């Protein structure tokens, strides 16, 4: 195959995880400057995100507004953050954007100081978990992406038509 797009992670993970490692991605890499336009593939129109980008719903919504119907999140969440936030954030991004979310996740021990949570997942546009690969070992998983579900969810609740960017600011009373 050919490379049809590339994305440089916009949000770097600089955090001191409670009961986990201190990670400073900014000490060894630089962030991208902007999102990459969604790319047409046989699976759908894919919006590209990476790991910590998951915590920024504005980026996911920008990809939806640019035409994405699938958003990917290859990730290496730590075990503490994975247990607390992984599934709920993936489901939230799927619900907010009405997109399929495909999240491949590293699993297991990288070193004596670093373990990844695992649980690669596929979430449908209604927020239902279609696939959870678990957190015990590496695996290869498959899920059907049904864009009929996407169309149904979006027609029953057309949130993109109800966006009000003109109202999304704070004013003094």
């Amino acid at each position: 195959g050919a490379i049809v797009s590339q994305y440089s992670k916009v949000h770097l993970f600089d955090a001191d995880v409670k009961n986990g490692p201190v990670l400073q991605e900014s000490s060894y890499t630089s962030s991208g400057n902007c999102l990459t336009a969604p790319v047409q593939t046989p699976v759908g129109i894919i919006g590209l995100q990476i790991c910590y980008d998951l915590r920024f719903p504005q980026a996911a919504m920008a990809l939806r507004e640019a035409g994405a119907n699938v958003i990917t999140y290859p990730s290496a969440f730590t075990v503490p953050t994975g247990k607390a936030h992984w599934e709920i954030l993936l489901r939230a991004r799927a619900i907010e954007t009405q997109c399929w979310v495909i999240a491949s996740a590293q699993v297991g021990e990288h070193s004596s100081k670093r373990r990844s949570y695992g649980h690669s997942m596929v979430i449908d546009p209604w927020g239902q978990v279609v696939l959870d690969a678990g957190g015990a070992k590496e695996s290869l998983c498959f899920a059907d992406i049904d864009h009929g579900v996407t169309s149904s969810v979006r027609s029953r609740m057309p949130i993109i038509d109800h966006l009000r960017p003109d109202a999304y600011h704070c004013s003094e009373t």
Side-chain angles (χ1 to χ4, degrees), residues 62-136:
L63 292 169
R64 160 67 200 278
E65 290 182 64
N69 56 19
V70 176
I71 301 175
T72 60
Y73 292 98
S75 300
F77 264 51
T78 66
V79 172
T81 59
K83 285 181 179 178
H85 303 142
W86 178 244
E87 181 179 330
I88 192 106
L89 286 171
L90 293 171
R91 292 181 72 196
R93 294 304 84 81
I95 293 165
E96 292 161 349
T97 63
Q98 297 176 316
C99 289
W100 286 86
V101 168
I102 301 173
S104 59
Q106 292 184 25
V107 63
E109 194 168 310
H110 301 274
S111 70
S112 61
K113 297 180 181 179
R114 177 89 158 86
R115 274 186 46 129
S116 286
Y117 180 65
H119 291 272
S120 292
M121 291 189 164
V122 176
I123 314 290
D124 78 13
W126 191 246
Q128 299 301 304
V129 176
V130 172
L131 180 142
D132 179 348

Side-chain angles (χ1 to χ4, degrees), residues 30-51:
S30 49
S31 66
N33 294 321
C34 63
L35 300 176
T36 298
V39 60
Q40 179 70 54
T41 74
V43 174
I45 304 168
I46 296 182
L48 305 171
Q49 295 278 267
I50 299 172
C51 202

Side-chain angles (χ1 to χ4, degrees), residues 7 9-13 25 31-32 35 49-50 52-53 56 59:
Y7 170 69
K9 183 178 182 182
V10 170
H11 304 97
L12 300 181
F13 187 62
E25 283 185 330
S31 66
L35 300 176
Q49 295 278 267
I50 299 172
Y52 189 54
D53 290 330
F56 299 89

